[in-house]
Amino acid sequence: MATRMDDCGLWQTVWLEPDAVVCRPSGLPAGPPPDWDDVERAEHRVQPVELDGSWSRRWEAAVGVALAHLVAATEDHPVTLPAGPVAELLGHAVVQFLPTGPAARSLELAGPGIPAPQPRPDVLLVPRHPLTGEPWRPPGDEGAVVPLDSGVWTYLAHQAETSPMPATGLLPDGVLRDDYALPQYPWYPLVPHRRAFADTLVGLPAVRGPGLRRFRSA
């Protein structure tokens, strides 16, 4: 017996009657809990576009949360993004929430399976642990990090093979294949979930600092 609240704009909520629910083992052995190694796997990647051609709801929420941490880490300063998927997918969102101009803070991807950027940028965009939600950090590093949903981070950091044609052998250095399909993105830029941004930012201690005054009055 279950009771469900269903509202188009809210998460579905289900209450189960305690006496009507019986726990039965599946008989399958329990797998190991997810760890940092999992974020390097291709199957961990979350595609930014839904099957209907719209932006992924998980991406919209994840970007909203990450932007709140980015605003706090940079104290509302401009940010320079690395070329490639980060700039292509997150650039519009960053411009929406952060100013442009001089004295920009640098941001680079960092995490399992990719070389640590040298020299260290002002901010590292890192994955959250798939089980605990804790942000990844380089050993001994205490600098600013911005945590990102691990599946979204994996899409940005570990680009998968997209060629529709099988290939054998190796290409000479500096030669790129020309049969890769271009990624299909909606006609409008990715817009972060504003509620996810606001709810995350209000819980960060940095929001009470003088640098983020404009967000407190928004």
Side-chain angles (χ1 to χ4, degrees):
M1 180 67 179
T3 303
R4 183 175 67 182
M5 295 291 293
D6 195 353
D7 189 319
C8 293
L10 299 174
W11 291 99
Q12 291 186 354
T13 304
V14 177
W15 289 272
L16 299 176
E17 295 291 341
D19 297 336
V21 179
V22 179
C23 180
R24 299 187 184 278
S26 66
L28 299 176
D35 205 348
W36 289 122
D37 291 342
D38 290 82
V39 304
E40 300 182 43
R41 304 180 191 279
E43 58 269 23
H44 194 75
R45 303 166 81 242
V46 175
Q47 297 293 329
V49 180
E50 303 281 8
L51 293 178
D52 63 1
S54 63
W55 288 110
S56 163
R57 309 303 183 266
R58 180 169 166 180
W59 268 70
E60 291 173 342
V63 172
V65 172
L67 275 174
H69 285 274
L70 183 60
V71 166
T74 62
E75 297 182 334
D76 200 23
H77 281 79
V79 173
T80 57
L81 301 178
V86 175
E88 293 168 5
L89 288 165
L90 307 186
H92 175 78
V94 169
V95 170
Q96 276 191 305
F97 286 84
L98 286 170
T100 58
R105 305 295 195 261
S106 57
L107 179 141
E108 295 283 348
L109 280 168
I114 62 175
Q118 296 295 335
R120 191 201 193 279
D122 297 309
V123 183
L124 297 177
L125 186 60
V126 302
R128 291 181 181 274
H129 192 278
L131 181 63
T132 67
E134 291 297 316
W136 181 90
R137 276 188 177 277
D141 185 278
E142 296 297 332
V145 298
V146 169
L148 182 64
D149 178 298
S150 62
V152 174
W153 181 91
T154 302
Y155 182 91
L156 296 173
H158 297 290
Q159 293 293 297
E161 171 68 47
T162 58
S163 173
M165 302 294 291
T168 59
L170 300 175
L171 293 174
D173 291 340
V175 176
L176 301 177
R177 298 193 58 169
D178 61 358
D179 59 356
Y180 285 82
L182 295 175
Q184 298 298 311
Y185 296 145
W187 60 269
Y188 58 95
L190 176 63
V191 178
H193 194 285
R194 289 188 174 272
R195 182 67 179 272
F197 171 83
D199 287 354
T200 301
L201 187 61
V202 75
L204 299 176
V207 76
R208 295 187 287 274
L212 303 187
R213 185 178 296 110
R214 72 181 178 97
F215 291 98
R216 295 197 297 273
S217 58

